[in-house]
Amino acid sequence: MNTKFQVRKVAVLGAGVMGAQIAAHLVNVNVPVVLFDLPAREGAKNGIVTRAIDNLKKIKPAPLGLPELASRIVAANYEEHLALLTECDLVIEAIAERMDWKLDLYNRIAPALAPHAVVASNTSGLSITTLSEALPEAVRSRFCGIHFFNPPRYMQLVELIATPSTDAGVMDNLETFVTSALGKSVVRAKDTPNFIANRVGIAGMLATMKEAQNFGLSFDVVDDLTGKKLGRASSGTFRTADVVGLDTMAHVIRTMQDNLGAGKAADDPFEALYETPAVLAGLLAQGALGQKTGAGFYKKVGKDIQRLDAATGAYVSAGGKADPIVERMLKKPPAERLKLLRESSNPQAQFLWAILRDGFHYAAVHLASIADTARDVDFAMRWGFGVKQGPFELWQQAGWKQVAQWVQEDIDAGKALCNAPLPEWVWAVEGVHGPEGSFSPAQSKIRLHKIEQSLGPVKFSLDANLSSLEHLPLSPLAVHERQPFRENVVGSGAADPLQSGTELYRNDEIRVWTPDGDIVVATITAKLHLISPAVTEGLLKAVEIAEGAYRGVVIWSPDDVFSAGANLESLMPVFMKLGSKGIAPEEKKLQDAMLRIRYAQVPVVAAVRGLALGGGCELAVHCARRVAGMEAYMGLVEVGVGLVPGGGGLAYIARRAAEMAAAGNANADILKFLSDGFTNAAMAKVGISALDSRKLGYLLDSDVIVPHKDELLYVALVQAKALAESGWRPPARVPFPVAGRNAKATIQGQLANMRDGGFISAHDFHLASCIADVVCGGDVDAGSLVTEEYLMALERQHFCALLDHPKTQERIMGMLSTGKPVRN
């Protein structure tokens, strides 16, 4: 019988940038953690660690889901607290990238380790096998590499690296923990310099720098070309280097220089590529390390961003953009896109073809040595470098054989970064990803060897290769079975969530379906999942269908938006024709739909991933339960367009205040419980994590937070079934007390002071007063009993009146035209 891998406590060794932020993410997901470092030479011996913990509250983007979580990290030092290691089931070493320092630390901690503890080194490229040799033989089977990407809270990728001594069960258990408990996506990497993502990604950045110089392109133009337009991270190449830190990048490059090339650990034909670019060397010499020092390839001067001019060494105005003709090329389908780029005489187009070609070439030459499958390379680049498609995915989509021919022609013509030909396997396949799995050079070699043994010596010809190609499926670990639509690569034939299951209803903006014949799933398909009359109709249909023959409803969509709010643009024709009077009936339909969901005869569960703003937040809070991803950003943001929440959000705030007051003391002052809810709506506060959204009151303690995005639907379905199994009944429709007119007057007095002090505008004052009127219950005595319908009528009245206000109209038009809020 297998023993369950329980992680009751984790030790993180090293309170530097990565160690402290790994510790922060552990407490985000409720894993107790002890953070170690050297004893301080002066003052309290835990000084190094306590300063690192305090600094976590200041870093942007925030490593902590809530600043107060920093107090849950236990500070320790190696001199006084090694005994704490005996309580830890997982020990993550994350000290500086010095082999000698790491080996010395391992010798120090080894006697204190629990006999079952898994030990993992968070290194970006040092040899895991060499590190393991410093540990007692009994520990080596429980030792591996674990490479988090920076910042650990937000970056999806974790690379796990085994040594020849690592027990396979340890790797499986650790992958399960990292996936389900930490919410990360795992790639198993081979123990080679810089593993997969940094090996391919940094080589790609170096190639981009080299080709940019070849084609005479400035850093800002390159970043515009290699950002979102190319399906990569919006920061492009040079801005990404600044954010990561030029010293960090230099360290990874140094690892390549020390280990890759003729006569080194790996004979790499791309050795010349790893030379530190002169411009990077110059910045390092000046101590310009990027964002952390205020200057790198870019520098912020006042409110302006300047870029380095490589020719002069001076900073000049930035803002260079891609040529329109190149932008149009990048919008074409993959095959046409690559053909146009390759054949164009435009330097920007030639540059883009060159870096794509270099990427294909590099990935193909190194696949067999760095990864088990082509899928691992594509996943590593997606999750570690923010690209929409890995190199093999794009290559296959654009036409495998044609692209291979183009790449080889450039190699033969001396245009590539090295003269190594494409590997023979490239010509034997039609693509590397298929329904059966992804191409594995190592497994193909094993299979070819078996063929040679059975048939006698066989030349590694295309015929033999075709008969020996091996494709490996996704990891079969049980933890991945709970991911209904596990992320996969293009070409795998993975199930499309918008086509799966049994469809029960559909219109242009929503799909209602069932994955199992038990629970109904409503998937909003509109852009940003904005709530329109068509979406409202579909949600009501989902509830109706579920009440007739199913046990519950889950509202879920397969991307990073639950719903960004109401679709104001869809109501513009009605407003233009009938004014605010025409909007009132539509607004009432939305409010009625929220109450229909709240009081449905089956449980309705909101699976909240990413944005749930305005109407999206209102939809979530009216559900029976919420299952939220860790990065669930929830809030009532209507004041940004000069409106108040109109889908029951303010009624929810008033009801929750009454419920909390009653739970604490039947005679409690409701205003005390109302204050935060009012402030959140009046200031359009948005939770910066699921934990923060819970603190703001948009998630309850009974709601579930799920670390891994691909487990969200599974957990939501389980929650809906559990509620149904528990004998679900909707809450009783009962009136509740409100704070009344005196509370409203108190709030308005505070608002007047803010207005008169210049902290808010006159229109902000008006909007906040409208919100106060609704959440306090209007012109009634304190403690008056009201219904949700009554409060929603007040919401509707203010919402429609504001639509006629010229200041609100300015805000709405500004948002529709620029996507940014207007302050007036």
Side-chain angles (χ1 to χ4, degrees):
M1 179 177 177
N2 291 330
T3 302
K4 183 180 178 183
F5 180 55
Q6 301 241 12
V7 181
R8 287 156 291 201
K9 186 180 290 185
V10 175
V12 176
L13 312 181
V17 173
M18 285 301 293
Q21 292 202 46
I22 291 169
H25 186 62
L26 286 163
V27 294
N28 284 340
V29 295
N30 206 28
V31 175
V33 62
V34 183
L35 180 60
F36 282 82
D37 211 304
L38 295 167
R41 293 179 180 177
E42 298 179 359
K45 288 195 174 181
N46 279 341
I48 293 172
V49 179
T50 53
R51 283 192 294 274
I53 293 171
D54 288 341
N55 193 49
L56 289 171
K57 304 172 191 176
K58 306 169 188 173
I59 298 172
K60 298 295 180 185
L64 292 162
L66 289 171
E68 53 265 37
L69 288 177
S71 65
R72 295 192 187 179
I73 302 173
V74 176
N77 66 79
Y78 304 125
E79 184 177 301
E80 299 176 306
H81 305 117
L82 282 183
L84 291 176
L85 289 176
T86 61
E87 304 171 7
C88 298
D89 307 295
L90 173 62
V91 177
I92 300 173
E93 171 270 305
I95 68 170
E97 294 283 283
R98 282 273 303 268
M99 180 72 76
D100 54 340
W101 292 358
K102 288 178 186 282
L103 296 179
D104 180 65
L105 179 60
Y106 293 176
N107 286 323
R108 182 185 292 191
I109 67 168
L113 294 171
H116 66 282
V118 174
V119 182
S121 174
N122 179 69
T123 174
S124 62
L126 295 180
S127 169
I128 304 302
T129 302
T130 302
L131 289 171
S132 73
E133 292 167 358
L135 290 166
E137 192 169 343
V139 180
R140 293 176 193 172
S141 65
R142 295 179 275 113
F143 178 77
C144 64
I146 183 169
H147 182 208
F148 288 85
F149 276 66
N150 191 24
R153 170 184 164 186
Y154 302 96
M155 295 302 291
Q156 193 176 345
L157 178 64
V158 166
E159 292 175 315
L160 294 183
I161 309 97
T163 76
S165 303
T166 309
D167 183 88
V170 166
M171 294 297 287
D172 290 348
N173 285 336
L174 190 56
E175 179 170 342
T176 297
F177 172 73
V178 168
T179 300
S180 202
L182 304 190
K184 300 303 172 188
S185 295
V186 170
V187 166
R188 302 266 188 115
K190 294 186 178 183
D191 189 10
T192 55
N194 292 333
F195 312 128
I196 299 176
N198 274 345
R199 178 74 175 273
V200 177
I202 298 298
M205 293 178 76
L206 287 170
T208 300
M209 293 178 182
K210 189 176 185 67
E211 301 290 7
Q213 184 178 3
N214 290 344
F215 290 97
L217 301 181
S218 62
F219 301 144
D220 49 353
V221 169
V222 169
D223 281 351
D224 192 52
L225 288 166
T226 60
K228 285 187 175 180
K229 293 180 175 68
L230 199 60
R232 299 182 178 181
S234 58
S235 51
T237 301
F238 294 98
R239 179 61 184 149
T240 296
D242 273 359
V243 171
V244 170
L246 302 190
D247 53 340
T248 301
M249 184 178 179
H251 170 78
V252 178
I253 294 171
R254 213 160 29 245
T255 302
M256 294 170 129
Q257 293 168 347
D258 292 344
N259 295 281
L260 302 175
K264 298 177 182 175
D267 188 0
D268 192 329
F270 286 82
E271 182 177 11
L273 174 63
Y274 308 138
E275 181 181 351
T276 304
V279 63
L280 176 59
L283 288 169
L284 292 168
Q286 297 169 33
L289 306 181
Q291 185 171 275
K292 69 178 79 174
T293 60
F297 290 108
Y298 294 91
K299 181 169 73 171
K300 190 171 183 180
V301 180
K303 293 184 178 180
D304 296 328
I305 301 295
Q306 296 184 344
R307 66 164 174 86
L308 181 69
D309 184 320
T312 65
Y315 286 92
V316 298
S317 295
K321 299 291 183 184
D323 291 342
I325 190 172
V326 177
E327 280 195 70
R328 291 194 292 272
M329 292 179 193
L330 291 176
K331 293 177 182 178
K332 300 293 183 182
E336 185 180 357
R337 182 191 322 154
L338 265 59
K339 186 175 188 295
L340 288 169
L341 292 173
R342 185 172 188 268
E343 295 177 354
S344 173
S345 60
N346 183 292
Q348 293 183 10
Q350 292 176 337
F351 159 77
L352 287 172
W353 161 251
I355 64 170
L356 291 171
R357 175 205 62 216
D358 296 340
F360 299 147
H361 188 196
Y362 192 89
V365 167
H366 291 96
L367 173 60
S369 64
I370 65 174
D372 288 330
T373 71
R375 178 180 54 243
D376 293 328
V377 172
D378 285 341
F379 275 165
M381 293 306 296
R382 269 205 222 171
W383 299 334
F385 277 77
V387 304
K388 285 187 178 179
Q389 289 181 308
F392 290 119
E393 291 180 282
L394 177 57
W395 183 347
Q396 181 167 324
Q397 247 195 330
W400 185 266
K401 288 290 176 65
Q402 178 62 80
V403 173
Q405 183 181 333
W406 287 339
V407 173
Q408 189 60 53
E409 286 175 3
D410 279 11
I411 296 170
D412 295 340
K415 297 179 180 178
L417 295 176
C418 82
N419 61 5
L422 290 174
E424 191 167 356
W425 64 259
V426 168
W427 308 102
V429 300
E430 298 296 330
V432 289
H433 303 310
E436 72 278 20
S438 292
F439 174 66
S440 170
Q443 289 300 312
S444 298
K445 190 174 181 180
I446 291 170
R447 187 168 175 186
L448 178 66
H449 180 63
K450 290 178 179 177
I451 292 173
E452 289 176 338
Q453 286 182 319
S454 62
L455 300 179
V458 178
K459 185 181 178 183
F460 196 70
S461 65
L462 295 192
D463 288 341
N465 197 6
L466 283 169
S467 67
S468 63
L469 294 181
E470 193 76 25
H471 286 67
L472 296 183
L474 287 166
S475 166
L477 285 182
V479 67
H480 302 304
E481 295 300 315
R482 48 190 274 136
Q483 300 173 351
F485 298 103
R486 183 180 176 188
E487 189 169 347
N488 212 326
V489 287
V490 174
S492 66
D496 181 351
L498 299 183
Q499 303 294 331
S500 298
T502 302
E503 192 166 291
L504 306 172
Y505 171 83
R506 188 178 200 129
N507 63 32
D508 290 342
E509 298 188 18
I510 195 168
R511 180 178 187 247
V512 178
W513 56 289
T514 179
D516 55 9
D518 200 17
I519 302 295
V520 172
V521 177
T523 298
I524 303 172
T525 58
K527 182 179 180 182
L528 294 177
H529 307 165
L530 296 175
I531 299 172
S532 66
V535 170
T536 302
E537 178 187 346
L539 291 171
L540 292 175
K541 192 69 176 177
V543 171
E544 178 188 335
I545 292 170
E547 287 178 336
Y550 298 85
R551 294 204 292 168
V553 176
V554 168
I555 304 172
W556 169 84
S557 296
D559 56 29
D560 288 324
V561 180
F562 176 73
S563 172
N567 189 341
L568 295 176
E569 203 166 1
S570 70
L571 297 176
M572 287 298 288
V574 176
F575 180 73
M576 297 300 292
K577 183 176 181 181
L578 302 172
S580 60
K581 291 181 180 179
I583 300 298
E586 297 299 328
E587 195 66 13
K588 187 173 189 307
K589 286 179 186 176
L590 176 62
Q591 294 172 334
D592 289 346
M594 297 297 180
L595 293 178
R596 178 77 174 91
I597 288 168
R598 172 167 162 76
Y599 295 107
Q601 295 302 307
V602 292
V604 182
V605 175
V608 182
R609 176 175 160 194
L611 298 178
L613 304 178
C617 183
E618 290 171 311
L619 174 59
V621 300
H622 281 89
C623 291
R625 183 157 294 173
R626 287 138 297 278
V627 174
M630 180 57 67
E631 301 306 322
Y633 306 114
M634 304 179 69
L636 299 174
V637 297
E638 286 82 353
V639 295
V641 288
L643 294 169
V644 297
L650 300 182
Y652 166 80
I653 289 171
R655 173 173 58 78
R656 283 290 298 150
E659 291 169 350
M660 289 188 290
N665 184 333
N667 298 316
D669 180 3
I670 294 174
L671 180 57
K672 293 179 181 178
F673 297 89
L674 186 65
S675 179
D676 286 345
F678 161 78
T679 302
N680 296 338
M683 296 183 65
K685 286 188 177 181
V686 176
I688 60 169
S689 67
L691 301 172
D692 196 32
S693 295
R694 176 182 278 166
K695 186 178 179 182
L696 294 179
Y698 302 129
L699 295 174
L700 307 182
D701 289 341
S702 56
D703 293 331
V704 181
I705 296 175
V706 180
H708 200 289
K709 63 182 179 60
D710 290 344
E711 293 185 354
L712 192 66
L713 176 58
Y714 166 81
V715 177
L717 291 168
V718 168
Q719 289 292 313
K721 291 174 185 177
L723 290 171
E725 289 285 351
S726 303
W728 166 259
R729 294 293 303 168
R733 287 179 178 260
V734 294
F736 49 86
V738 289
R741 65 173 72 87
N742 289 341
K744 175 188 170 184
T746 299
I747 293 172
Q748 282 190 303
Q750 296 168 345
L751 291 171
N753 289 336
M754 294 178 69
R755 178 198 59 200
D756 296 343
F759 296 104
I760 61 175
S761 69
H763 196 49
D764 289 330
F765 173 83
H766 179 55
L767 291 167
S769 297
C770 293
I771 292 172
D773 185 55
V774 178
V775 298
C776 293
D779 190 20
V780 297
D781 294 333
S784 295
L785 297 179
V786 303
T787 63
E788 287 165 296
E789 289 86 351
Y790 165 81
L791 290 175
M792 286 181 175
L794 280 179
E795 274 187 2
R796 200 162 60 245
Q797 175 185 328
H798 286 298
F799 186 93
C800 292
L802 285 166
L803 283 173
D804 293 325
H805 198 294
K807 292 288 186 182
T808 286
Q809 291 173 3
E810 284 179 19
R811 291 194 182 189
I812 291 174
M813 295 310 297
M815 180 63 75
L816 290 177
S817 61
T818 68
K820 297 179 181 179
V822 174
R823 284 296 168 207
N824 56 6

